[in-house]
Amino acid sequence: MILLNPGPVNLSPGVRAALSLPDLCHREPEFAELQACIRAGLLEAYGLSHQRWAAVLLTGSGTAAVEAMITSLVPKTGYLLVIDNGVYGERMSRIAQLHNIEYYALRYAWGDGARTAEVAAFLDKQPKVSHVALVHHETTTGRLNKLGEIGKLCAARGIGVLLDAVSSFGAEQIDFEGCAIVGCAATANKCLHGVPGVSFVVAQREKLNAPNCTPRTLYLDLAAYCREQDQGGTPFTQSVQAFYALAAALDEFKEQGGLAQRQERYRQLSQQLRAGLSQRGLHALLKEDECSVVLSAFRLPKGLGYEQLHDRLKERGFVIYAGQGRFAREIFRISTMGEITRDDIERLLDAIGEIVRIPN
Ligand SMILES: *Cc1c(COP(=O)(O)O)cnc(C)c1O
């Protein structure tokens, strides 16, 4: 089955093989070595220094990392501005609300981008904002939010950025220093091509140890994870097999040319897909330059429901992804993360062409 959903992804043979490496106790030096290797690989992916940054590993899905980031990096006296233009922006507001973090959500219609001038105006009007929470690639629509512009606004005002890069880490550029990033949450099983079960936050060390940042939860306390991981330990049992898989996935990421090459590979697949679907009369929701290279949303053709398209493609070996909320009846989404080739996309285009020609 070819998975065109935004994670979990089709695995490479190497990553799959890593899942059956020898059993390992998480209190033994072999585990410490595995953990250190992953942490170094994650920083290396973006050329970040170990002195200033820490990759903190959690056992949990991407949402665990996002919740850990927000609860561990916004101090008790902090105030969060959430930029919300989709499901994942909304989720960050929900996290802030549940943990009694003072926040305000600047909401945009799904599909729209945040307007930088409005963000600037809000920040100037509300000097109490200490952090901005932003989704880098809003997977709801495929939109790549303007991290560069918003990050610069924050940097100029001494405001920290908390980035949900769950569906962009490994595939899109992130200027950590220029964008005032203090925390960046992501996961193993999207653009890095590992398996579900490990997620992580790349955080500024100095901010993790800030004196006014006391933990809000036991399990998601990043500072505690970081302290123990720096010593080769872990506060709780980690998903050892998922760690093995992530280490193998990071080796492949590096061998294949790292971030630049992964971005280029996704870009080519995305262009192939957008051009091919357009030829078959199916149009993208957003323009290419508004979109991540990772995923595009397409309008459903008239007279063909999502379920029908999904089921007919599944019969042919492809899993596509539905729209959410008000988009459920309007769009379908295709991600090209994972072991997907140009041939797979060609066969997908043929299959969609066939289904669209003879809808019943
Ligand atoms: C996938 C995703 C998440 C987290 O999803 P999980 O199901 O918890 O792994 C968070 N943010 C974005 C932008 C995502 O695409």
Side-chain angles (χ1 to χ4, degrees):
M1 199 61 78
I2 303 294
L3 299 183
L4 301 161
N5 48 293
V9 299
N10 286 118
L11 302 181
S12 72
V15 171
R16 187 178 304 288
L19 288 170
S20 48
L21 284 170
D23 298 333
L24 201 59
C25 169
H26 66 294
R27 301 281 175 219
E28 291 298 317
E30 293 83 356
F31 178 80
E33 203 175 300
L34 173 65
Q35 180 169 259
C37 178
I38 294 171
R39 298 181 77 207
L42 292 172
L43 293 188
E44 199 186 321
Y46 282 87
L48 299 173
S49 87
H50 176 77
Q51 282 71 35
R52 186 161 158 77
W53 298 92
V56 185
L57 303 175
L58 303 168
T59 284
S61 82
T63 304
V66 176
E67 190 160 6
M69 170 177 77
I70 292 175
T71 54
S72 304
L73 291 169
V74 180
K76 287 281 184 282
T77 53
Y79 186 99
L80 188 64
L81 172 66
V82 179
I83 308 224
D84 170 357
N85 60 345
V87 168
Y88 298 101
E90 205 172 287
R91 187 172 293 177
M92 293 203 291
S93 292
R94 183 81 180 120
I95 290 169
Q97 183 191 30
L98 286 170
H99 292 280
N100 293 314
I101 293 169
E102 262 204 286
Y103 76 100
Y104 183 85
L106 208 47
R107 291 203 176 85
Y108 293 92
W110 290 9
D112 285 359
R115 285 177 286 277
T116 309
E118 284 176 17
V119 178
F122 185 89
L123 295 177
D124 291 337
K125 205 174 66 202
Q126 292 287 355
K128 65 175 175 175
V129 176
S130 62
H131 293 79
V132 167
L134 179 70
V135 178
H136 190 203
H137 165 212
E138 184 43 90
T139 323
T140 314
T141 54
R143 179 177 285 278
L144 193 66
N145 279 319
K146 294 209 166 88
L147 169 63
E149 290 181 9
I150 294 170
K152 272 198 200 75
L153 291 181
C154 293
R157 290 164 176 79
I159 292 169
V161 170
L162 300 174
L163 190 70
D164 170 349
V166 177
S167 62
S168 58
F169 192 98
E172 296 284 359
Q173 304 290 336
I174 301 172
D175 175 7
F176 280 76
E177 298 291 350
C179 293
I181 291 174
V182 298
C184 169
T187 188
N189 64 288
K190 293 198 183 187
C191 309
L192 292 176
H193 300 182
V195 303
V198 200
S199 59
F200 56 90
V201 179
V202 174
Q204 260 186 41
R205 287 186 170 277
E206 188 193 318
K207 298 297 186 299
L208 271 180
N209 298 313
N212 54 354
C213 260
T214 46
R216 290 186 172 86
T217 84
L218 177 80
Y219 191 72
L220 297 175
D221 176 8
L222 283 182
Y225 276 91
C226 190
R227 266 195 309 277
E228 298 224 15
Q229 289 179 6
D230 284 347
Q231 306 298 316
T234 170
F236 310 108
T237 310
Q238 296 275 25
S239 177
V240 175
Q241 282 74 15
F243 271 48
Y244 272 142
L246 178 55
L250 283 167
D251 283 346
E252 292 182 5
F253 177 80
K254 193 172 163 184
E255 278 161 23
Q256 292 164 5
L259 174 64
Q261 284 315 306
R262 180 124 326 157
Q263 185 175 34
E264 187 50 30
R265 160 180 170 173
Y266 283 8
R267 177 173 291 122
Q268 286 181 13
L269 293 173
S270 166
Q271 287 173 345
Q272 183 191 359
L273 179 67
R274 293 169 76 97
L277 284 179
S278 162
Q279 273 168 18
R280 288 161 181 82
L282 288 109
H283 298 292
L285 178 71
L286 300 176
K287 294 201 289 280
E288 190 188 333
D289 64 0
E290 299 171 317
C291 245
S292 75
V293 295
V294 179
L295 172 144
S296 289
F298 298 91
R299 294 191 183 280
L300 284 162
K302 280 210 172 51
L304 185 68
Y306 174 76
E307 294 299 333
Q308 207 176 3
L309 179 61
H310 170 272
D311 294 355
R312 291 173 149 238
L313 281 172
K314 196 166 176 188
E315 283 163 16
R316 292 163 169 80
F318 299 98
V319 171
I320 59 166
Y321 212 50
Q324 290 153 290
R326 77 168 179 88
F327 279 130
R329 299 183 171 284
E330 288 178 31
I331 64 169
F332 63 98
R333 293 179 288 169
I334 294 184
S335 151
T336 51
M337 53 177 77
E339 282 292 292
I340 306 282
T341 64
R342 290 187 72 81
D343 279 355
D344 296 327
I345 298 294
E346 228 27 71
R347 289 190 299 109
L348 170 76
L349 290 169
D350 288 345
I352 294 180
E354 232 178 78
I355 295 165
V356 172
R357 261 201 317 280
I358 328 158
N360 296 304

